[in-house]
Amino acid sequence: MALLTRIKGPRDLDRLSPEQLDQLAAEVRTFLVDAVSKTGGHLGPNLGVVELTIALHRVFDSPKDKVLWDTGHQSYVHKLLTGRQDFSKLKMKGGLSGYPSQAESEHDVIENSHASTVLGWADGLAKANEVLKKDDHVVAVIGDGALTGGMAWEALNNIAAAKDRPLVIVVNDNERSYAPTIGGLANHLATLRTTDGYERFLARGKDILERTPVVGKPLYETLHGAKKGLKDFIAPQGMFEDLGLKYVGPIDGHDIEALESALTRAKRFGGPVIVHCITQKGRGYQPALSDEADRFHAVGKIHPDTGLPISASGADWTGVFAEEMVALGKEREDIVAITAAMLQPVGLDRFAKAFPERVYDVGIAEQHGAVSAAGLATGGLHPVFAVYATFLNRAFDQVLMDVALHKCGVTFVLDRAGVTGTDGASHNGMWDMSILQVVPGLRLAAPRDADQVRAQLREAVEVTDAPTVVRFSKGAVGPAVPALRRVGGMDVLREPGSDKPDVLLVSVGALAPMCLEIADLLDKQGISTTVVDPRWVKPVDEAMAPLAERHRVVVTVEDNSRVGGVGSAVAQALRDAGVDVPLRDFGIPPQFLDHASRAEVMAEIGLTAPDIARQVTGLVSRLDGRYETSAAAPAVEPARD
Ligand SMILES: Cc1ncc(C[n+]2csc(CCOP(=O)(O)OP(=O)(O)O)c2C)c(N)n1
Ligand SMILES: CC(=O)[C@@H](O)[C@H](O)COP(=O)(O)O
Ligand SMILES: [Mg+2]
């Protein structure tokens, strides 16, 4: 790492020779494989942008110039070159974020890891530079996958309208999102890729000719004219140029000299310009290059030599869903599936293998996915749209005004619901049970274990006149939690052991094991608790109010924002029923949560059995007049395993 460790900031790159730059790229790749194999992370995407990032930071002057990353998962090299080389705690509490972070560096801008937003940011920053008469440059890096998102085209439409507003857009075209990028855009990028000869010639030729005295410039102009003619002859006018954007490319995204030449030209252009770079996800690391599924898009801890996982992952929520979807697909020919460029991560790969004609990858286009689902349902099918909970946020209006308003039988399966932790604030699935509360007719289920995933998915796909939602957590599925009896549509998980029970504990989804632990801790304080799992949390079950009336206090516990979540809905249902029982709702505070493990985040926000048991003890004690405040309540020791 002789060179890499000497890079404390982008300007340290300026003095490196071409040979040293190639050595630096090799050192960066060695570093990435060594570091990310230990922590897990987005190894493939970052191996693909080594030369591109080096060239960007040599041509542009960050942080005066803004280097922006779409999604941000490919910003590890950017971090290495901007003074952050301790990756030992990547994505861990107190360590580097897996995405840009303004708290980490002045070189970082966009922290949102939701795709397709970078061009909007760039448009705004470029306008600000124009109004403030600043000569700073704005360069936005967007992947071919992120370019399939509608927001990117809304931004391009605006950017193309301002012919004299400088803005450099780098399309990082590695032909993949996780899997190969789909759609007409991907096909168009492919046609542009096939006419690379003249661009490389131009990129090299211009520099050589510019250094040639006297004849150089006129000769270049002649060649440039020839290139233009050649390009029109070889390749149809690209859509970017049809939009009015200057297009430079395609450029070999692993040739630093060619990249610098193209970026320098783009920087001087004085208007919006696209630099189309061809890169290879997983470049330089054979285990990633051999991985046809997703080129090591996001890996856990792996053996650096083989790329094989260090620990086998057990049964997870996604796998349970994946298996049940295949079973459902066999039973019902009307069931089709939708993914937004995440077929394997959301567990639809097995369904796709069994029913290739009944699965649709819409690209990173959740809004389109939801509207297309309304069309599919109206056309007589039952679509199951599997998507990470946090990514459905952007399709809220489509769920509301296309699916629900038209009473379409569409099932949304929300994976990674609740606190996910290590991917930072924008990846926690903490808003779905709040925003979806306001959708008329929508029914929302939160299964507590594998059996309930199967059961509630089956109940969901039976609903033909409204949207249904089944939401579950990330990772290993919890232990089976049997029901003792059913009350209305709700499962009683624990009886209070008293005919005048103190607490009705409403346990939402995967938090059932924790809620049973809370009840045990309360038991030790002489507080009797009924634990109930509503299963379908929207609408609130009609049996909730009469059940609550038989208790002294109601407690709700959910892995969702406290604001407008299940607790709020239950409180409203009790008020509407005239049931005057105090209710205390526990959930995620309305904050953006820093990256850490799920357990660390849950502890930080007090969503643990001891924390909740202590507060409920205080609440009940106040009802008994024994303690003035919950702070006076006795400490509650966590249950010993
Ligand atoms: C709105 C949204 N949907 C889905 C994702 C999940 N996701 C993260 S990276 C990625 C693929 C991005 O592909 P591309 O933009 O080509 O970048 P690459 O990984 O190829 O560098 C996806 C689908 C996301 N971050 N945001
Ligand atoms: C950047 C992005 O959105 C995805 O790659 C995400 O990081 C994957 O998350 P999981 O690891 O939970 O599948
Ligand atoms: Mg890509």
Side-chain angles (χ1 to χ4, degrees):
M1 300 301 167
L3 281 175
L4 178 56
T5 52
R6 284 161 37 193
I7 305 300
K8 306 303 182 192
R11 300 288 52 86
D12 291 338
L13 297 168
D14 295 346
R15 63 174 183 277
L16 299 183
S17 67
E19 294 71 28
Q20 287 176 314
L21 290 170
D22 290 341
Q23 180 192 331
L24 175 64
E27 289 183 16
V28 166
R29 280 200 170 86
T30 302
F31 179 97
L32 288 173
V33 171
D34 178 57
V36 180
S37 62
K38 294 188 177 76
T39 60
H42 288 94
L43 183 53
N46 284 280
L47 287 168
V49 296
V50 174
E51 292 82 5
L52 174 57
T53 309
I54 290 172
L56 279 166
H57 278 298
R58 277 170 51 92
V59 172
F60 293 94
D61 184 19
S62 176
K64 180 175 185 296
D65 296 337
K66 295 294 177 279
V67 179
L68 311 173
W69 302 93
D70 192 281
T71 317
H73 62 303
Q74 77 295 58
S75 62
Y76 298 1
V77 184
H78 163 78
K79 295 197 175 201
L80 284 171
L81 303 181
T82 53
R84 291 163 279 177
Q85 297 190 4
D86 177 4
F87 274 50
S88 59
K89 294 178 68 180
L90 177 67
K91 298 179 74 169
M92 298 175 208
K93 183 180 175 69
L96 285 179
S97 164
Y99 304 86
S101 161
Q102 292 183 14
E104 280 179 19
S105 171
E106 60 183 342
H107 294 279
D108 292 5
V109 179
I110 308 170
E111 301 184 359
N112 175 16
S113 61
H114 289 197
S116 316
T117 69
V118 75
L119 300 186
W121 278 87
D123 177 50
L125 281 162
K127 287 169 178 171
N129 285 343
E130 187 175 61
V131 170
L132 299 174
K133 298 182 175 32
K134 292 164 72 175
D135 63 355
D136 304 349
H137 291 276
V138 178
V139 52
V141 180
I142 186 166
D144 55 299
L147 210 48
T148 60
M151 235 185 300
W153 293 91
E154 293 170 23
L156 277 175
N157 183 47
N158 283 272
I159 290 165
K163 301 251 182 293
D164 301 323
R165 186 182 295 138
L167 173 54
V168 178
I169 296 166
V170 175
V171 175
N172 173 30
D173 180 5
N174 55 24
E175 304 178 61
R176 302 179 78 93
S177 295
Y178 281 74
T181 299
I182 62 95
L185 170 73
N187 298 338
H188 183 71
L189 289 176
T191 61
L192 295 176
R193 278 195 294 273
T194 58
T195 55
D196 64 355
Y198 66 81
E199 197 55 44
R200 188 179 289 132
F201 159 75
L202 183 78
R204 293 299 183 92
K206 182 173 182 342
D207 289 352
I208 294 166
L209 289 168
E210 278 193 331
R211 288 196 289 268
T212 308
V214 182
V215 298
K217 188 152 177 54
L219 183 55
Y220 166 72
E221 290 312 325
T222 307
L223 287 171
H224 188 259
K227 171 253 173 182
K228 186 75 183 142
L230 185 65
K231 176 174 176 180
D232 292 347
F233 174 73
I234 291 177
Q237 187 82 340
M239 71 179 156
F240 296 117
E241 288 172 314
D242 288 344
L243 272 174
L245 292 162
K246 165 73 177 167
Y247 169 87
V248 175
I251 306 294
D252 176 352
H254 300 295
D255 179 336
I256 293 175
E257 195 178 348
L259 283 164
E260 287 190 29
S261 170
L263 290 170
T264 302
R265 282 163 44 219
K267 179 179 175 182
R268 293 171 183 160
F269 180 62
V273 52
I274 298 250
V275 181
H276 179 196
C277 300
I278 313 303
T279 63
Q280 197 180 30
K281 187 175 266 194
R283 175 99 170 179
Y285 182 50
Q286 193 52 45
L289 291 173
S290 310
D291 171 27
E292 271 319 301
D294 68 13
R295 289 279 174 85
F296 280 29
H297 175 87
V299 296
K301 294 175 182 173
I302 57 174
H303 289 288
D305 302 335
T306 62
L308 294 174
I310 292 285
S311 54
S313 55
D316 62 10
W317 294 92
T318 310
V320 174
F321 162 66
E323 195 178 293
E324 198 64 14
M325 267 299 281
V326 172
L328 274 170
K330 288 174 183 164
E331 296 164 22
R332 285 187 40 186
E333 291 186 354
D334 65 322
I335 286 188
V336 293
I338 299 172
T339 178
M342 297 180 79
L343 186 81
Q344 191 275 334
V346 297
L348 287 177
D349 44 333
R350 284 181 250 182
F351 185 91
K353 191 171 179 186
F355 313 105
E357 74 289 351
R358 288 161 54 189
V359 65
Y360 305 102
D361 178 351
V362 297
I364 310 180
E366 287 82 2
Q367 295 171 316
H368 170 68
V371 178
S372 175
L376 284 160
T378 304
L381 298 174
H382 191 109
V384 175
F385 186 0
V387 58
Y388 286 9
T390 190
F391 300 143
L392 188 73
N393 294 352
R394 63 174 48 179
F396 167 74
D397 189 63
Q398 290 73 26
V399 173
L400 180 68
M401 290 303 173
D402 294 287
V403 181
L405 177 65
H406 298 83
K407 295 185 171 52
C408 295
V410 174
T411 297
F412 296 89
V413 174
L414 306 187
D415 198 333
R416 273 55 173 191
V419 169
T420 52
T422 53
D423 277 297
S426 52
H427 259 73
N428 292 304
M430 56 184 274
W431 296 282
D432 58 291
M433 291 200 293
S434 297
I435 61 177
L436 296 175
Q437 291 291 345
V438 301
V439 180
L442 179 142
R443 297 172 51 78
L444 200 161
R448 63 175 183 272
D449 59 21
D451 288 342
Q452 290 303 311
V453 169
R454 299 183 191 100
Q456 292 168 26
L457 177 62
R458 286 181 174 274
E459 292 163 32
V461 299
E462 289 303 319
V463 177
T464 58
D465 60 355
T468 50
V469 179
V470 179
R471 59 104 70 178
F472 47 74
S473 306
K474 175 173 182 174
V477 65
V481 181
L484 303 179
R485 62 189 169 99
R486 175 107 4 139
V487 173
M490 305 190 293
D491 282 348
V492 173
L493 307 182
R494 188 187 196 276
E495 298 290 6
S498 153
D499 58 4
K500 290 191 65 59
D502 297 306
V503 177
L504 174 62
L505 179 51
V506 180
S507 163
V508 177
L511 298 185
M514 181 173 85
C515 288
L516 290 170
E517 188 185 341
I518 292 168
D520 290 340
L521 291 170
L522 293 174
D523 212 34
K524 292 175 181 167
Q525 304 294 325
I527 297 170
S528 57
T529 303
T530 305
V531 180
V532 68
D533 169 11
R535 301 179 71 253
W536 291 87
V537 295
K538 178 186 188 302
V540 175
D541 197 289
E542 289 178 358
M544 181 69 78
L547 185 62
E549 201 157 31
R550 295 202 294 276
H551 294 77
R552 300 173 63 207
V553 64
V554 176
V555 172
T556 62
V557 183
E558 62 192 294
D559 197 359
N560 182 85
S561 175
R562 271 194 72 213
V563 178
V566 175
S568 303
V570 171
Q572 191 167 55
L574 298 185
R575 284 196 301 275
D576 294 350
V579 172
D580 184 17
V581 175
L583 181 144
R584 176 70 170 85
D585 58 318
F586 292 91
I588 303 170
Q591 296 161 8
F592 293 115
L593 304 171
D594 287 342
H595 66 277
S597 71
R598 172 178 161 84
E600 287 167 334
V601 173
M602 298 290 270
E604 282 167 10
I605 60 178
L607 264 185
T608 68
D611 283 323
I612 294 172
R614 184 177 62 75
Q615 293 195 57
V616 175
T617 301
L619 181 59
V620 172
S621 305
R622 280 199 307 281
L623 288 177
D624 294 343
R626 278 187 279 158
Y627 302 101
E628 285 310 307
T629 66
S630 58
V636 175
E637 290 307 313
R640 296 281 171 247
D641 292 338

